[in-house]
Amino acid sequence: KSGLDPGGAWHAWGMACLKAGNLSSAREKFNRCLKPPMDLNQLNHGSRLVQDVIQYLETTVKPIFIADDDYFATLRELEATLRTRSLSLEMMCEGKIQHNSYYQECLFYLHSYGTNLAIISFYMRHDCMREALLHLLNKESPSEVFIEGIFIPSYESGKLHTLENLLETIDPGLESWGVYLIAACKHLQRKNYYHILYELQQFMKDHVRAAMTCIRFFTHGAKSYTELGGKQTWLLKIKDHLKVYLQEVSRSSGRKKMAFTFRKKMSATDVSRHINTVDLQMEVTKFLHQCESSGTSQMTGFSLPTLFGNNNMKMDVACKVILEGKNIEEGFGIAFRVLQDFQLEATEVYSKVAKQLVKQQKYSEIRQLLKCVNESGVAAKNDGDNIILNCLNEFKNIPAEDLDNLIQDMDSDENKIQAYVMCNKLRSAYLVSVRQEKARAVQLVQHVRQLAESSGDDVVKAICAQWL
C-alpha cells in the first residue's frame, strides 16, 4: 500500500527461514528478491544480498541437513566426514560438498544468483581447486577471473605447485590453459614477482621467456662487474633454456607441426645469435670483473652496460672493455668482437674511447688505439684520421707536443691541414698546404690566408700572400 520496495522484507523473511532450518521456504522467499547478475564474468562476488546468504550458510554453527530423516542424515554426515578426511584433496572436496546439504545450498544460490568469480572463490575457500578450474573452463571465463579467483589465492597461500599439478592433470599439453597462463605471467611481471614468474615459465616449458627472465636476474640492480661476476650462473641458465628450446624446435620440425600457441617462438637463427651474445657477455664479465679486482678499472662515468641492452649500451660495453684493461691492447680484441658481432659503428666507439683518453691525459694510448684500429684489418682508409679529428674538439687540454705528435700520425695531408686549422696552428697548416700539387696548393693557401686575416695573424697572412 505504501509503495515501498518489498525486496528487503523478502530477504529478511528468507534469512529467518534459513536460520530456522527451513531451506525450501528460504529458496522461495529469496527467489522474490534475488536477481542473477547481468554479466556472470564481472569481477565481483555478486550482490550484497547473495553474499549475506552465502556468508550465513558458510559460518552457521549448526550444519543444516536434508529434512527427511534427520537422525540418519546426521549419521550419514558424520560418516562422510570421517571417510573423506583420510582421502585425497579431490575426494575430500567432493565428499564435503556432496554430503553436506548446506554446502549444496551455497552452490544452489551461487549458481542461481552469483557470478563465476563468486562460484570459483567458494570452491577455492573449501579446497576444491579442481572444481574451480573445471568451472572456469566450462564457462570459458576471461583470464581476469582466473587471476582473481584462482591464481592469486594459489600463490599467496603457497599452493602454486598444487595448481600446476592440477592444470597438467586436466590438460597435459596445457593448451586449454594458454590464455590464462600468459595472463598470469603478465600479472606477475606487473607485480615484479619475478621469482614466481620464472617458476611458472619453467612449468609452462616456455624456454624463450624463461631465458628473458634470467637476463633480468643477471642485470637487475648490479652496480659493478664484480657483482655481475657473482651472477654468472644466470648466464648459464639462459644458455640452457635456449639450447633446450632449439632441441624442441628441431624435434618438432621433423614431425607434424606442434600447436605450442602460447609459448614464445623464435627462429633457430635468432636463438643461435642470442647464445653467442651470452657467450660474449660471459667473456666481457670475466674480463671486467678481473679489471675491477686488480684495480685497473678507472671508469666511473658509465652506468653499468651489458650486451643485453640496445646498440648504444653495447657500444658502451665496447668502450668500457677497451678503457679498463691494463692497456688499450688488452681489451681491444673482445671489444672488436662486440663491434663485429653486433655490426656497431666502430669509428664512433673508437672516437668515444679517444676522447676519454684525452680526459685521462693518456696521449700515448691514443696512438696505441690507432695502431690497434689499423691492424684490425677492417678499418677504412680515413678511420684513424677521423678518430684524431674527433679528439681535437678537446685540443685546448692537449699539450702542444702531444698535439703535434697526434696530427703527425695522420695519413692524409688534407686531414692534417684540417686538424691544424681546428687548433689555430695556421703556420703548420700553411707548411703542409704548399707541399700539395700546384692547383690544390693555391686553393689551400688562399683558405689559410683568409683564416689568418680574420683571426688577425699578420705574419701567416704575409707568408701566404708572398707564396701566392
Side-chain angles (χ1 to χ4, degrees), residues 132-351:
L133 287 167
L134 291 172
H135 182 83
L136 180 88
L137 267 192
N138 293 338
K139 300 294 177 188
E140 295 178 354
S141 290
S143 46
E144 293 81 6
V145 173
F146 170 73
I147 301 293
E148 287 293 320
I150 299 175
F151 188 64
I152 294 175
S154 294
Y155 72 69
E156 284 184 348
S157 60
K159 290 182 181 169
L160 192 59
H161 282 295
T162 310
L163 172 63
E164 289 172 350
N165 291 339
L166 280 170
L167 293 174
E168 215 164 21
T169 309
I170 295 168
D171 177 4
L174 300 179
E175 282 305 315
S176 46
W177 304 115
V179 178
Y180 300 119
L181 289 169
I182 293 296
C185 290
K186 286 179 181 168
H187 163 81
L188 293 170
Q189 212 166 348
R190 277 197 303 275
K191 290 276 192 181
N192 287 332
Y193 292 164
Y194 283 94
H195 289 280
I196 305 176
L197 173 65
Y198 182 51
E199 145 72 31
L200 187 64
Q201 286 166 337
Q202 290 179 91
F203 161 73
M204 290 159 67
K205 297 185 176 61
D206 194 347
H207 294 291
V208 176
R209 286 194 180 97
M212 288 156 81
T213 305
C214 291
I215 290 174
R216 190 190 184 277
F217 284 135
F218 174 70
T219 54
H220 186 69
K223 299 282 188 293
S224 69
Y225 261 89
T226 307
E227 277 181 55
L228 287 183
K231 295 167 92 176
Q232 287 189 77
T233 45
W234 288 114
L235 293 176
L236 295 171
K237 285 184 179 177
I238 298 168
K239 272 182 78 170
D240 289 343
H241 285 299
L242 294 176
K243 282 177 176 171
V244 171
Y245 177 78
L246 272 184
Q247 286 165 3
E248 285 183 358
V249 168
S250 61
R251 272 206 303 271
S252 63
S253 62
R255 299 198 302 273
K256 189 177 162 225
K257 284 267 179 184
M258 294 180 82
F260 294 142
T261 45
F262 64 90
R263 296 178 181 93
K264 190 167 177 63
K265 291 185 182 63
M266 195 178 272
S267 72
T269 324
D270 283 348
V271 174
S272 304
R273 207 177 67 243
H274 286 307
I275 291 173
N276 287 341
T277 302
V278 174
D279 285 335
L280 200 47
Q281 180 63 53
M282 284 175 115
E283 220 172 312
V284 167
T285 307
K286 280 175 191 157
F287 178 76
L288 291 175
H289 182 197
Q290 221 170 348
C291 294
E292 287 180 5
S293 307
S294 63
T296 57
S297 169
Q298 296 165 344
M299 292 181 61
T300 50
F302 284 98
S303 59
L304 196 66
T306 69
L307 298 178
F308 299 118
N310 58 19
N311 279 358
N312 285 339
M313 195 188 262
K314 290 180 180 111
M315 286 160 91
D316 287 348
V317 171
C319 290
K320 198 171 171 67
V321 169
I322 295 175
L323 285 163
E324 295 209 2
K326 287 198 288 287
N327 53 44
I328 293 297
E329 226 167 326
E330 192 186 20
F332 188 84
I334 297 174
F336 183 70
R337 277 177 46 215
V338 170
L339 297 174
Q340 289 290 291
D341 279 15
F342 299 107
Q343 298 177 331
L344 302 172
E345 194 53 62
T347 319
E348 199 181 320
V349 171
Y350 299 144
S351 298

Side-chain angles (χ1 to χ4, degrees), residues 41-107:
N41 287 320
Q42 60 197 44
L43 289 183
N44 58 42
H45 290 255
S47 73
R48 184 69 255 169
L49 300 180
V50 179
Q51 290 178 55
D52 288 347
V53 173
I54 302 302
Q55 200 177 350
Y56 174 76
L57 286 169
E58 280 184 303
T59 54
T60 184
V61 181
K62 184 171 81 63
I64 304 157
F65 303 113
I66 297 159
D68 63 341
D69 238 340
D70 272 357
Y71 292 109
F72 288 119
T74 310
L75 288 170
R76 273 205 306 277
E77 180 70 15
L78 181 62
E79 187 186 342
T81 308
L82 291 170
R83 191 174 71 244
T84 54
R85 220 163 251 172
S86 60
L87 296 176
S88 71
L89 166 84
E90 184 185 319
M91 287 307 295
M92 183 173 95
C93 172
E94 284 175 355
K96 194 174 180 184
I97 284 183
Q98 279 174 356
H99 294 289
N100 188 323
S101 61
Y102 89 90
Y103 277 121
Q104 286 298 322
E105 209 59 22
C106 283
L107 286 173

